[in-house]
Amino acid sequence: SSVVAVIVLTFFVSVKNANAETVLDALSENGISVEVSGAIDFYNKYIWRGFQLDSDPVIQPSVTLSVPELFLEGGFWGSFDLDQDDGESTNSDEVDGWIGTSFDLGFVDESFEIVGVTAGHTWYDFPGTDLYTKEFYLGLSVDTLLAPYFTWYHDYGDEDQGGADGNYFMFGAGHSFTLHEDWGITWDVSHEISINNEAF
């Protein structure tokens, strides 16, 4: 699985594809910028929405592309088991793709600029298990004290194929305190409450 992780990560960060360069050039010529960011996270276990999917250490690479002028964003995210020593028969390796949009409601009224909206779709795939699922998501956030937010996830995948066939509601709030501005050190405090509605 670690070999697979390296291969997928290499695919994520490779931008030498001629077709991709052609698309980026065309967007640039029309004054549209594309922002690309990536991350590699390590965890001692994989817990997702309250479910422990893997008790082994995992590596989770991701890449995100956003086009601010078009309010579009998307990317890929993966999770790969590094040990497979937990004795579990479930293969937790996962590769997801998503696409969405995010914007504020300032176009309705200037006072609504603090209200953010996110919406999109995610495809979940579990290599080696022939299982997959898909979901829509819709979120609201308020750029004010404690930055409260709410997100609704609707998984419409068949449970026999790996889907949840249900809903997941997430409520949260928090605050980030800057400890050292030059070094970018912050202290983040947050709390989240989630409700699983017939998902799994």
Side-chain angles (χ1 to χ4, degrees):
S1 294
S2 58
V3 174
V4 174
V6 171
I7 293 174
V8 172
L9 181 60
T10 302
F11 171 77
F12 282 169
V13 299
S14 176
V15 291
K16 298 184 181 296
N17 183 282
N19 292 329
E21 290 182 356
T22 301
V23 172
L24 292 176
D25 289 341
L27 291 172
S28 179
E29 290 173 2
N30 287 280
I32 299 175
S33 61
V34 178
E35 299 175 358
V36 181
S37 62
I40 305 176
D41 298 321
F42 295 90
Y43 294 95
N44 66 328
K45 60 182 64 176
Y46 178 17
I47 296 178
W48 178 77
R49 296 182 186 173
F51 294 97
Q52 179 171 289
L53 300 187
D54 200 318
S55 60
D56 285 329
V58 294
I59 181 175
Q60 297 182 340
S62 64
V63 63
T64 299
L65 291 85
S66 61
V67 186
E69 290 85 355
L70 301 179
F71 305 102
L72 288 175
E73 56 191 6
F76 295 92
W77 180 92
S79 181
F80 303 95
D81 192 324
L82 295 178
D83 284 341
Q84 295 186 334
D85 289 335
D86 52 15
E88 298 175 2
S89 59
T90 302
N91 185 339
S92 70
D93 288 354
E94 178 180 342
V95 178
D96 306 335
W98 62 277
I99 186 169
T101 183
S102 61
F103 53 90
D104 64 57
L105 298 182
F107 65 90
V108 176
D109 187 272
E110 193 172 304
S111 61
F112 289 127
E113 285 185 350
I114 63 172
V115 180
V117 178
T118 59
H121 189 277
T122 303
W123 294 266
Y124 298 87
D125 185 57
F126 304 92
T129 64
D130 294 325
L131 297 177
Y132 60 90
T133 189
K134 54 230 175 190
E135 74 178 8
F136 291 104
Y137 64 87
L138 175 64
L140 292 174
S141 62
V142 183
D143 186 13
T144 185
L145 180 66
L146 298 181
Y149 63 88
F150 163 75
T151 308
W152 166 46
Y153 300 91
H154 174 62
D155 187 310
Y156 61 99
D158 191 309
E159 290 189 63
D160 293 335
Q161 297 174 328
D165 191 22
N167 300 289
Y168 193 80
F169 305 98
M170 186 181 297
F171 307 83
H175 188 73
S176 179
F177 299 89
T178 300
L179 301 182
H180 197 293
E181 188 170 349
D182 292 338
W183 292 358
I185 300 175
T186 62
W187 177 38
D188 303 316
V189 181
S190 64
H191 186 69
E192 196 169 81
I193 297 175
S194 300
I195 300 173
N196 189 328
N197 175 235
E198 299 184 354
F200 301 109

